[in-house]
Amino acid sequence: MVFTIDFDLLNKARGVLSVREKLYWIVGGAGSGKTTVCRNLSARDGLPVYDMDAHIYGSYHSRFTPERHPVNFAWSTSENGLAWLLAMSWDEFNSFNQAALPEYLDLLAEDVADSSPTSPLLIDGGICNPALLNHVIPARQIICLSAPLDITVWESADRQSMKDEIYKLPNPEAAWMKFLDFDKKITQAIEKECQENNISLCRMTSTTSVGDFAKEVAFLMGLQ
C-alpha cells in the first residue's frame, strides 16, 4: 500500500496551530506516562487536556471524509481496522502513520479554531511522527516522554482490551507478536525523531515519582 502525505492539509493546520504558543504536545511510546503526566499537569496548572487517541478512535471517525482524509477514511471504513493495519509491513505502517497525521491535525485545527490563540491546551499523545508535527508547531512545544520498553504494559487492566481484540483475529499469536514488534518500533522511531529535531526528551526511571516526572515536564514546557 502507498500513502501520501498531504502537505497542503499540513500547511492549513499550521496556519491555525502555529500561532498558539500555549499549545503543548506530549508524545512518547505506550506506557511512557503521557496520560498520567497530562492528568497531573491538568490538576496542577488547570491545563485543559485534549486526548488525541480518544478522538482518533472515537469522534474523528464520523468526521473523516474520503475527499479530505482519504488515509483515515480507508482505515476507519475497513471491515476490521486492526486487521487492516496489521496486514501491513512496518514500512507501510510507518507510511500510514505519517500520512494520517496531517488529517488528524486538520480536525484538531477545526476543534480549536474558535478558541483564543492565547488559550492553553495540553495534547495527550496520538501521533508517531514528531518530526512531521514539528512542521506545524515549534519543537519547544513538544515534549517526548521515555520509559524502558516493557511489553507487560499491554497486559495491564486498562490496555488488556487491545490484546483481546487481536486474539479475535486469524493467527492471533502471530498477529500479537507483530503488534508488539510495531509497538517497539513506534517507540524507537518517536525517540529517534525527537533527538534529530531537538525535541526535549524526558526520561522516567523506576525511582522517579509521578510528581517529580510531571515537574520535569512542566519545567521543559516553561511552566513554573
Side-chain angles (χ1 to χ4, degrees):
M1 285 180 259
V2 178
F3 303 101
T4 304
I5 297 171
D6 186 340
F7 283 99
D8 287 339
L9 204 62
L10 194 71
N11 288 332
K12 288 175 183 175
R14 184 178 186 277
V16 175
L17 302 175
S18 64
V19 299
R20 295 168 188 272
E21 296 182 358
K22 294 183 180 179
L23 184 153
Y24 306 99
W25 205 307
I26 307 295
V27 303
S32 60
K34 298 184 297 297
T35 297
T36 300
V37 165
C38 285
R39 287 174 178 168
N40 186 287
L41 292 177
S42 179
R44 196 195 83 155
D45 297 299
L47 292 173
V49 176
Y50 188 99
D51 187 335
M52 183 56 74
D53 275 339
H55 286 283
I56 290 171
Y57 294 98
S59 64
Y60 282 3
H61 273 235
S62 63
R63 298 166 63 189
F64 292 139
T65 66
E67 298 81 19
R68 197 171 181 92
H69 317 108
V71 173
N72 282 295
F73 187 81
W75 163 60
S76 64
T77 57
S78 62
E79 184 175 351
N80 184 308
L82 188 55
W84 189 77
L85 293 172
L86 287 174
M88 298 179 188
S89 67
W90 164 251
D91 286 342
E92 289 172 331
F93 182 67
N94 189 44
S95 175
F96 165 82
N97 285 327
Q98 292 181 57
L101 180 51
E103 298 180 1
Y104 302 151
L105 294 175
D106 176 59
L107 295 179
L108 170 64
E110 280 188 2
D111 287 347
V112 304
D114 292 333
S115 64
S116 168
T118 61
S119 298
L121 184 63
L122 185 59
I123 301 179
D124 178 2
I127 63 111
C128 304
N129 299 98
L132 195 58
L133 175 61
N134 191 202
H135 284 271
V136 175
I137 62 174
R140 60 180 172 77
Q141 291 172 229
I142 309 169
I143 308 293
C144 178
L145 306 190
S146 175
L149 287 169
D150 181 7
I151 64 171
T152 62
V153 70
W154 291 106
E155 297 174 0
S156 61
D158 59 334
R159 297 177 190 266
Q160 179 65 36
S161 60
M162 177 61 77
K163 187 173 184 178
D164 293 342
E165 288 303 310
I166 289 174
Y167 268 73
K168 295 176 184 177
L169 302 177
N171 302 313
E173 289 288 347
W176 179 240
M177 294 306 296
K178 188 172 187 179
F179 172 83
L180 293 178
D181 182 56
F182 278 9
D183 182 60
K184 179 180 72 174
K185 288 176 177 174
I186 286 170
T187 299
Q188 292 170 340
I190 289 173
E191 295 190 10
K192 182 174 183 289
E193 288 190 15
C194 286
Q195 291 167 345
E196 292 174 346
N197 290 273
N198 297 315
I199 294 170
S200 295
L201 199 66
C202 192
R203 297 190 182 277
M204 186 176 214
T205 69
S206 58
T207 60
T208 308
S209 70
V210 171
D212 287 342
F213 197 43
K215 285 179 182 177
E216 185 177 351
V217 174
F219 175 78
L220 291 171
M221 290 165 55
L223 300 176
Q224 303 300 324

